[in-house]
Amino acid sequence: MDPVRNPYAPGAGQRPPELAGRDRQLTQFEVTLQRVAAGRPERSMVLSGLRGVGKTVLLNALRGLAVQRAWGTGKLEARPELSMRLPLAQAVHAAVREVAHRHRDPDRVDAVAGVLKSFALRTSVSDRKGVRWQPGSAIEVPATRGRADSGDLELDLVELFTDVADLARDLAVGIAVFVDEMQDLAASELAALCGACHEISQQGAPLLVVGAGLPHLPVTLAASKSYAERLFHYVVVDRLPQEMSDRALLVPAAAEGVDFEPEALDELYALTDGYPYFVQAYGKVTWDSAPASPIRVVDVREAAPEAEGELAVGFFGARYDRATPAERDYMRTMADLAVHTDDGAVSTADIARELARRPQSLSPARDGLIKKGLVYSSERGTVAFTVPHFGRFLRQQSG
Ligand SMILES: Nc1ncnc2c1ncn2[C@@H]1O[C@H](COP(=O)(O)OP(=O)(O)OP(=O)(O)O)[C@@H](O)[C@H]1O
Ligand SMILES: [Mg+2]
């Protein structure tokens, strides 16, 4: 069928034509926004899940809800080995700008901008690599010395958040900062961020930090501050049940006057397991190769090898290529052992035994893979792939 009208959108952070199966989380966040704006106690939200399940697009949808309520919003993507101070300052700056032009008191706006600038300027030179405090967006007020610039991140965040939240409260709205790939924040920064959120929520200030990251993010947060468990509402973003996976395919197709036969949908679900990235990828290829509506099961079967090939290159291959030879050996052994598990979690002791190595000698490979976001460990002594179906992909490669 006409590829120009193909509605499906495989790709990291690509907004799906139909955000299926996330109504509960959206509704819940609506309530959170209203409660926080009213100064009522409420936990913020942290999304966690495997690669390609739709954390980023859900995070963006939550941001959209905050924007609809006229909140100030900003977003950053954490990166390993990069301090969050500057990216966070930029995100908060974006949020402040969204509310500042509606504020009646320019002096108050300038005062907050000055604090934000002093917070940003406290960034060490080594942490400025790759991120600039853009002259174009620069705040044209002098930095306010002595506020949010102590160098103690937690203290500075509390001061910054307090002032920014006060500005939003004047307008009966709030500020929401969205942090994607949150597991990549350094432990000390994660602790500082939790500490600041804790303090801010006790003050009843209308500011939310909403996070998204890999499945071990809740464990990482709990390790950074003992009360993190009570600070956030943890939402596991998971693969879609068939009804929702069908919806993700049917609704965009219907908008183009195209239908699927039920057997075609069953076949697609068997192939994708309801993982959103796979749903989009198979949907896209199937659409292009099907001759006409309704899309039939034979169309799906004919298109499947191409979809698989694209995933092998883009989704799996690109990640596999980032691993060192030692890391690849480690993952192949993981993949072989994962066959015997229900949840894909493999014991690190078993991996060492299989490779005839001492467990400690494998720590660099494991840590490297965790840093690259290919593997995670939610439970001591076990590892699992962050990428769905990765074990299967690796077994096919070697088999
Ligand atoms: N609820 C949904 N319904 C339909 N498609 C979805 C849904 N959520 C995500 N998708 C699609 O899945 C793909 C992956 O989404 P996204 O990039 O948000 O995943 P992610 O969890 O952030 O992955 P990563 O961990 O790699 O960053 C995109 O192509 C997106 O359009
Ligand atoms: Mg993402």
Side-chain angles (χ1 to χ4, degrees):
M1 287 180 305
D2 184 2
V4 175
R5 285 170 46 223
N6 193 322
Y8 303 109
Q14 284 283 326
R15 194 161 83 144
E18 167 72 13
L19 185 67
R22 307 294 186 225
D23 289 354
R24 233 198 28 235
Q25 290 87 337
L26 294 170
T27 311
Q28 188 170 18
F29 194 64
E30 282 275 9
V31 174
T32 300
L33 288 170
Q34 292 177 61
R35 286 182 59 86
V36 171
R40 289 179 189 273
E42 181 67 324
R43 286 180 295 174
S44 184
M45 213 180 241
V46 164
L47 314 174
S48 65
L50 296 173
R51 293 272 171 223
V53 287
K55 302 176 296 295
T56 298
V57 299
L58 180 55
L59 198 66
N60 291 342
L62 299 180
R63 185 181 182 183
L65 292 179
V67 169
Q68 270 176 29
R69 296 204 161 266
W71 280 43
T73 70
K75 186 178 162 191
L76 66 135
E77 191 177 304
R79 280 200 270 150
E81 269 129 48
L82 190 70
S83 162
M84 80 173 170
R85 189 180 275 262
L86 202 45
L88 184 82
Q90 286 172 327
V92 172
H93 187 207
V96 166
R97 275 201 305 191
E98 282 173 20
V99 291
H101 67 271
R102 284 179 276 136
H103 202 284
R104 296 243 182 90
D105 183 350
D107 291 343
R108 293 240 317 114
V109 171
D110 282 356
V112 171
V115 173
L116 179 53
K117 191 167 186 174
S118 75
F119 176 85
L121 291 178
R122 198 62 178 73
T123 308
S124 64
V125 174
S126 61
D127 278 328
R128 291 183 193 208
K129 54 181 180 218
V131 204
R132 290 225 328 268
W133 187 240
Q134 305 266 338
S137 64
I139 299 169
E140 279 144 36
V141 295
T144 309
R145 287 236 199 90
R147 191 141 175 91
D149 62 356
S150 73
D152 177 326
L153 186 60
E154 182 170 335
L155 283 180
D156 293 353
L157 282 171
V158 169
E159 293 184 348
L160 176 70
F161 285 172
T162 302
D163 292 0
V164 168
D166 278 348
L167 196 69
R169 190 183 352 216
D170 291 346
L171 296 162
V173 294
I175 296 287
V177 178
F178 297 84
V179 185
D180 205 355
E181 302 290 350
M182 198 179 197
Q183 79 283 340
D184 282 342
L185 290 180
S188 60
E189 298 205 327
L190 207 54
L193 190 59
C194 286
C197 289
H198 190 44
E199 177 61 31
I200 284 295
S201 77
Q202 282 169 6
Q203 292 174 19
L207 185 140
L208 281 174
V209 173
V210 187
L214 292 172
H216 60 295
L217 176 57
V219 175
T220 311
L221 278 163
S224 83
K225 286 275 189 194
S226 56
Y227 51 74
E229 243 169 289
R230 281 163 283 139
L231 201 53
F232 298 105
H233 179 80
Y234 291 102
V235 173
V236 175
V237 185
D238 215 339
R239 60 205 188 90
L240 302 169
Q242 182 164 358
E243 188 192 341
M244 289 303 153
S245 165
D246 290 354
R247 234 188 112 73
L249 292 162
L250 285 169
V251 172
E256 301 291 340
V258 170
D259 201 3
F260 286 76
E261 285 186 346
E263 299 74 34
L265 291 171
D266 292 345
E267 183 71 8
L268 280 164
Y269 196 70
L271 288 165
T272 63
D273 244 353
Y275 282 106
Y277 193 101
F278 300 156
V279 172
Q280 299 296 331
Y282 278 87
K284 173 139 198 212
V285 172
T286 302
W287 174 288
D288 283 351
S289 80
S293 176
I295 294 171
R296 302 156 305 162
V297 68
V298 289
D299 303 331
V300 176
R301 288 191 185 132
E302 224 158 83
E306 195 186 330
E308 224 169 279
E310 278 182 14
L311 289 171
V313 176
F315 193 71
F316 299 120
R319 294 193 159 93
Y320 182 73
D321 290 348
R322 262 184 266 148
T324 65
E327 290 166 357
R328 290 178 189 177
D329 284 345
Y330 192 94
M331 289 197 292
R332 274 194 292 266
T333 308
M334 263 179 80
D336 290 338
L337 292 170
V339 179
H340 310 295
T341 68
D342 294 334
D343 56 357
V346 174
S347 134
T348 50
D350 289 350
I351 298 172
R353 199 171 311 121
E354 197 71 19
L355 285 165
R357 298 267 304 268
R358 281 186 312 123
Q360 289 106 306
S361 74
L362 292 172
S363 303
R366 188 201 53 210
D367 294 349
L369 289 167
I370 291 175
K371 202 174 252 175
K372 286 174 183 163
L374 283 158
V375 159
Y376 72 99
S377 173
S378 277
E379 206 184 312
R380 225 185 147 73
T382 70
V383 282
F385 290 116
T386 60
V387 182
H389 293 183
F390 204 52
R392 189 200 288 179
F393 165 76
L394 291 172
R395 289 191 295 273
Q396 279 168 358
Q397 294 285 298
S398 48

